[in-house]
Structures are given as C-alpha cells and as structure tokens.
Amino acid sequence: MKAAPTSGDSPQGEHELYREVILDHARNPRNFGALENATHTVDGINPLCGDRLTLYVDIDGERLDAVRFDGHGCAISLASASLLTVAVQGRSVEDALELRDNILRLLEQGIDYLGPATPQHSALAALAGVRGFPSRIKCATLIWQALGQALKRRDAGPNPTVTTE
Amino acid sequence: MNSLPDTPFEASASLDVRADFPALHQEINGRPLVYLDSAASAQQPQVVIDAVSRYQSHDHANVHRGVHTLSHRATDAYESARNRIRAFINAASLSEVVFTKGTTESINLVAQSFARPRLKPGDRIVVSHMEHHANIVPWQIVCGQTGAELVVTPIDERGQLDLEALDRQLDDRVAMLAIGHVSNALGTINPIADICRLAHERDIPVLVDGAQGVPHGSVDVAALGCDFYAFSGHKMFGPTGTGVLYGREALLEDMPPYQGGGDMILEVRFDGTVYNELPYKFEAGTPNISGFVGLAAAVDYLETIGMQRIARHEQALLGILTKRLGDIPGVRLIGTAAHKASVQSFVVEDIHPHDIGTLVDQQGVAIRTGHHCAMPVMQYFDVPGTARASLALYNDENDVDRLIAALDRAIRMFQ
C-alpha cells in the first residue's frame, strides 16, 4: 500500500531545516551566557520538549544596548535565539518589536516582510525552513515570544515566563 | 512480566507478522516506514480494523438498553469482549473488569473513588521516581484534596527501583502504593509480585500502572497479586479510547461511583438512587463499544501468536538494538536495567533529541523524542529529554539497521 504523498519533502529535506547558517549558530551560539544587570529577563519554556531559554535584555531608554541568552534547547531554538541577539542588538524598542512581528509572521504564516535582502535578513530568513516541519515551528518562535514579552513589559517586577503552549 | 524468557537472545529476529499491519506499508519522506514508537501507540492489525468495521457496519446499537435485535448483538459483542479481556489477564470474575477510556482514567478512578475517601492528613501515598505523569498527577491531586503526602521511591543510575528504600518507606503511614509495571521511558520491568507481597504484609493496597506491561508479555493479575491493574487498549494493538481497570471485587464493591449517569444505576429517584452492580457502577454513559470489540480482536490476535513468543522476539531484538546503539560513539543509553522490556532511550552527545527525531524521520524512521511524560526521570538523568526507540512484535532486524543508519547520518550532519 502506498501512502498519501507527504508535503513534498525529499530525503534531503533535512537541509531545508538545518541550513548551514542554522547549524553554525546552533554549534556556536552568539551572545550566549547571562547578562549581568539586565533590565529585562524573560524565561521561555517549551513544555513539549522541556526546553528552557532565558533572554536577557539591557534597555537604556529606548535602545536595546545588550541582548544575551542562555539555557538549553534544540538546534533550531538555539540558532533562533542566537540570530535574535545579533539582529536586535542596538535597535530601538520599536524596531525590535517590528522585527519580532515580522519574524513571527514569517514562521507562523510564511509571509516574508523582512525587507531588503541584506546578509542579516537572509540569515534570519533561513529560520523559515521550519515551515516544512510543523512540529518544529515552536522551537523557532519561542525566543521571539520571549523578546515580545520583555519589550512590552517596561515596568519592574518578577521575571515573566512565556511558553509555546 | 510473568513470562520473561530465561534465555533472551536465542529467538529469531522476525515474527513475520508485518503483513498483518496495513499502516506499516507506506513510505515516509520517500523511504519505507520504520515504526519504532509502539510504546506511545501501537499500530493495529487488519483483524482489529476489520472487527471494528464489521461491528459498525452490522451490529451497532446502544448496549444494556434496548430489547431489539441490534441492541442484543451490541451487548453480546461488548460483554464478550469483557470476558475475553478477563481471561487474558486472568481476573477471577467479570465484576473485576471495568472498562474505561484508558490507563489515565483507570488510575484517576482509583485515586478518586478508592484512595480519596480513605485518606486523612498525614497519610502517605508511595510512587516511584520512574512513573509516567499519569501515575503521579492523580495522586498529587488526591493529596491536595486530603492532606496526604506523596513519597517517592528512588531509582538507581541503571533505572532500577531501589527496593531497599521501598521496604523502608512502606511503613504504617502508607495508605497506597502506586507503581508502574514497566517504565515507558526506561523500559525497566519492576518485580511486581515481590512488591505486592511486601506491601500486603503491611496491609498496603497496590495499584499497578500496566500501560507498558500488557503489550510485552502475559500478565496474570492473580499471580502478580495486585489490588488494581490499569492498562490501555491502544498500546496493545487495539483502538484508542479503550482502557481497563482490573480491581479486586471486594475493593470495587466498597467504592463509590467515579462518575454518575446512565448505565451505572439500578433505580433513580429524587429521594435516592440505587447504583448498578459491578462493573457497571463504574461505567457511566454509553461506552466505546466498537473500541472494545476491536480490543477483544487484538487480544485474540496476540494470543494466536503467543505472548511468550512475542516476549522472546522482543527480547532478542532489544539485545541487538541496545548493542548497536551502544556501539555508536557519543551515544549514551538511558535505562539499562537488568530486566527490561523492549524500549531503549538514549541521548547523543551535542545533539538535542528533537533534532535527532526530525532527522531520522526524514529517513522514514519514527521514534519518540522528548520527556515521554516522565519529567522526573529526565530530571534524575539530568537530560532535557531523550530519543526512544520501542520495539513491538512487527519490528525486525532491518528496522534496527535503518535506525542506526539514520542516526549515523544525523550525527555526521552535526559534526
């Protein structure tokens, strides 16, 4: 008996998900490790797999002066977090939130609003490989959800937690 | 297991039953499917699918209600399924075989209807560190309701129960012991008969979570000596939404109903309702009739092949799988108990289990990755999750070869 065709993944479909830039950021995550004196700290938890990432942001007025993360996760969640830290460092809060919205639209709906094809944008666009792997989309979105939580909460208080569920 | 073979590695590596399972004959990502996730849910043989379809096509009506012919047929089919399952686990009477929707509901039923009315503040419920969440959370809930405390029996680095610690823990404060027959995450087979003896010397009732016990060998509740034995149909090649609670008749008799509704009553009056007799007292509402017809067909199928043969086959294949996995550099086996069912968890150095799962799926190999609803086990071994291959009667050595090849490929990709 033959199965119904799957979503067109070839045996090499894994390279769609694990593109070289993703593997690079997963093996050597940038800005990894806690940020002392962070103004905002958010824990992101994926209860499905038990992954836990912590995002640290230092906001000076309206600018993200420093962004770091730590924790454990799969290659996709680590690469996504690493790419995030590189992409939003130095941006204004407003810019960072817009990028977050655009990344979530790309990952969840496949709509690319990332704009001109700069090298940074093409690195971020590599995350779109999760589109063919529905069970892995949340791995990529987790840290961006955490960023939104951090930036939308401007007051002090206990660290919030976001989950993928 | 009551039926573990003495010489596990002598059997053949195939039972030649693959043709009986239609779902196995398909391609996933361009490769023939290798299904190594039966511990999560087992595939169904054609005879089960046909039995359900035949019942739905010809015999369906509600049970225990109508006087018409179809209602008789449906009731016969449902009750003969109960008798089939009674014989399969060697329960003494039909009153002791309660149909539920799964192991989880069976355990919750015992927690709420048996334990809750008996517990008082300071009483203890003992569970082990290797339990599935379904044998932890219902007891935490009942502890919250009654002021009882949950006590956890430790395991060792091979994933075996610390029987000396259990012996010390089972003191006169303990009102209930809830223990898995076989660990879903580790494969460990617990010595249930010995544990029941120990508990009963101290008048402690024992519930056994048998979700992973029933598929791997013959289970004889009388020989095990447990008070309750809970299991699910879909782990033993039957339909989802079918579960069984075996309970000692004297205990079930004293327990209040778990849910109220139709079928669980003899007489309803506004000034008082008389509950039905066992096991119907615990089966409120229209049950999953076709599901239990399918489960009875699964029992017939398993017994035709023979539970001893299945156990020998699985043990032989487990030996091959464990050896091959252990030979891969960077692989750490999680769960290496002396007595194990055909489940092997593992982690690969520097590769997250989810990445392993996705990559081997790209090669057509289905394994489970994550915490396996046993987060305390993951915490004990200090891993976020594991990859787990589970073997059933339809797996063979080729399946192991395919898994190893897919793993090799995944590891090379991450190097």
Side-chain angles (χ1 to χ4, degrees):
Chain A
M1 190 194 299
K2 283 276 179 196
T6 51
S7 55
D9 295 320
S10 70
Q12 273 67 47
E14 68 232 28
H15 297 295
E16 181 62 18
L17 179 62
Y18 297 99
R19 296 179 200 184
E20 209 34 66
V21 59
I22 300 292
L23 287 173
D24 172 42
H25 277 263
R27 290 190 191 108
N28 308 296
R30 321 295 198 266
N31 303 305
F32 189 85
L35 177 65
E36 303 250 326
N37 308 320
T39 54
H40 295 71
T41 304
V42 180
D43 289 326
I45 298 168
N46 184 343
L48 183 72
C49 52
D51 285 357
R52 175 186 280 269
L53 297 177
T54 303
L55 182 69
Y56 307 90
V57 188
D58 184 16
I59 301 178
D60 176 18
E62 281 301 309
R63 229 169 61 90
L64 282 68
D65 268 0
V67 185
R68 296 181 68 80
F69 81 104
D70 64 8
H72 55 77
C74 63
I76 305 303
S77 63
L78 291 176
S80 187
S82 172
L83 284 162
L84 175 146
T85 62
V86 173
V88 301
Q89 195 118 274
R91 285 189 190 238
S92 70
V93 168
E94 196 182 337
D95 269 8
L97 277 173
E98 188 186 341
L99 179 63
R100 167 204 178 260
D101 291 345
N102 287 339
I103 290 283
L104 290 181
R105 253 177 279 183
L106 175 68
L107 300 182
E108 289 168 352
Q109 299 164 39
I111 304 168
D112 188 351
Y113 282 118
L114 291 180
T118 64
Q120 189 184 80
H121 277 174
S122 73
L124 286 170
L127 288 170
V130 298
R131 295 281 308 148
F133 299 80
S135 64
R136 304 302 300 277
I137 291 174
K138 286 174 176 172
C139 308
T141 57
L142 178 63
I143 200 73
W144 296 90
Q145 303 283 11
L147 177 69
Q149 190 63 237
L151 298 186
K152 284 173 179 168
R153 185 181 141 276
R154 310 301 294 276
D155 55 326
N159 293 339
T161 297
V162 296
T163 81
T164 56
E165 297 306 302
Chain B
M1 246 39 358
N2 307 108
S3 64
L4 256 193
D6 297 329
T7 49
F9 299 126
E10 66 178 353
S12 79
S14 174
L15 284 178
D16 289 327
V17 296
R18 291 180 65 85
D20 300 340
F21 293 83
L24 297 179
H25 302 278
Q26 60 176 306
E27 292 192 348
I28 299 291
N29 295 320
R31 306 288 308 275
L33 167 65
V34 169
Y35 191 74
L36 298 174
D37 195 21
S38 301
S41 200
Q43 299 298 340
Q44 295 171 25
Q46 191 66 49
V47 288
V48 169
I49 298 164
D50 288 347
V52 172
S53 170
R54 202 163 45 241
Y55 168 80
Q56 304 279 35
S57 307
H58 301 288
D59 303 327
H60 175 64
N62 214 329
V63 290
H64 309 136
R65 284 169 177 79
V67 294
H68 59 77
T69 304
L70 285 187
S71 181
H72 282 307
R73 276 199 223 153
T75 304
D76 275 354
Y78 184 67
E79 290 305 324
S80 54
R82 193 188 308 278
N83 195 36
R84 196 74 197 77
I85 290 154
R86 181 205 62 74
F88 184 63
I89 58 171
N90 195 29
S93 90
L94 292 169
S95 304
E96 298 185 320
V97 181
V98 177
F99 283 168
T100 65
K101 66 185 162 110
T103 306
T104 299
E105 188 178 49
S106 297
I107 296 173
N108 276 280
L109 191 164
V110 175
Q112 290 301 314
S113 288
F114 177 75
R116 187 179 179 184
R118 284 170 172 73
L119 289 171
K120 44 187 200 308
D123 284 351
R124 292 183 160 190
I125 298 171
V126 175
V127 299
S128 88
H129 203 115
M130 72 175 85
E131 299 309 311
H132 186 283
H133 296 164
N135 202 25
I136 298 173
V137 182
W139 306 112
Q140 288 178 323
I141 291 172
V142 83
C143 284
Q145 290 161 334
T146 61
E149 293 167 40
L150 197 67
V151 174
V152 181
T153 306
I155 55 177
D156 66 19
E157 69 285 351
R158 294 177 71 184
Q160 302 174 126
L161 195 66
D162 183 341
L163 289 168
E164 285 173 19
L166 179 65
D167 188 20
R168 285 192 302 276
Q169 287 170 330
L170 293 181
D171 59 25
D172 58 10
R173 291 170 292 184
V174 176
M176 185 87 214
L177 169 62
I179 181 94
H181 194 168
V182 173
S183 158
N184 72 312
L186 301 168
T188 312
I189 300 172
N190 285 317
I192 295 297
D194 295 343
I195 290 169
C196 288
R197 255 193 307 280
L198 200 65
H200 287 162
E201 282 167 11
R202 298 154 203 190
D203 292 326
I204 298 166
V206 183
L207 172 134
V208 178
D209 170 358
Q212 301 291 340
V214 171
H216 297 296
S218 59
V219 166
D220 179 334
V221 292
L224 290 174
C226 55
D227 300 286
F228 299 99
Y229 194 96
F231 61 101
S232 294
H234 74 104
K235 310 253 196 221
M236 51 182 287
F237 317 98
T240 55
T242 59
V244 179
L245 173 66
Y246 158 80
R248 267 186 215 284
E249 189 163 352
L251 299 180
L252 291 175
E253 199 64 69
D254 280 347
M255 288 158 57
Y258 176 52
Q259 295 178 322
D263 223 25
M264 52 75 72
I265 50 85
L266 287 178
E267 183 183 21
V268 175
R269 303 169 63 93
F270 284 115
D271 57 3
T273 287
V274 182
Y275 302 134
N276 204 339
E277 57 200 32
L278 290 174
Y280 311 109
K281 182 169 77 175
F282 296 108
E283 294 181 12
T286 299
N288 182 359
I289 309 166
S290 65
F292 287 101
V293 169
L295 184 55
V299 167
D300 284 341
Y301 178 79
L302 288 172
E303 293 206 320
T304 302
I305 295 167
M307 294 310 291
Q308 297 272 359
R309 259 184 90 208
I310 292 169
R312 271 200 304 276
H313 165 68
E314 290 181 349
Q315 288 294 314
L317 208 51
L318 176 67
I320 295 167
L321 172 69
T322 306
K323 168 85 173 63
R324 299 281 305 275
L325 279 175
D327 284 347
I328 301 177
V331 166
R332 172 186 168 205
L333 301 176
I334 306 276
T336 51
H339 296 284
K340 278 191 60 179
S342 53
V343 169
Q344 186 61 58
S345 269
F346 59 95
V347 291
V348 183
E349 202 175 5
D350 295 332
I351 312 182
H352 190 280
H354 270 56
D355 295 315
I356 293 284
T358 294
L359 286 167
V360 302
D361 178 61
Q362 286 298 304
Q363 300 300 309
V365 180
I367 59 171
R368 174 80 189 270
T369 55
H371 54 59
H372 315 292
C373 297
M375 290 175 93
V377 172
M378 304 301 127
Q379 290 148 15
Y380 175 82
F381 286 98
D382 195 23
V383 292
T386 70
R388 179 189 72 185
S390 51
L391 303 163
L393 71 170
Y394 39 62
N395 293 116
D396 57 25
E397 205 168 342
N398 176 59
D399 295 343
V400 176
D401 290 342
R402 289 275 310 279
L403 170 66
I404 300 297
L407 279 174
D408 282 340
R409 188 186 160 102
I411 291 167
R412 277 202 310 277
M413 183 170 186
F414 269 80
Q415 268 165 0

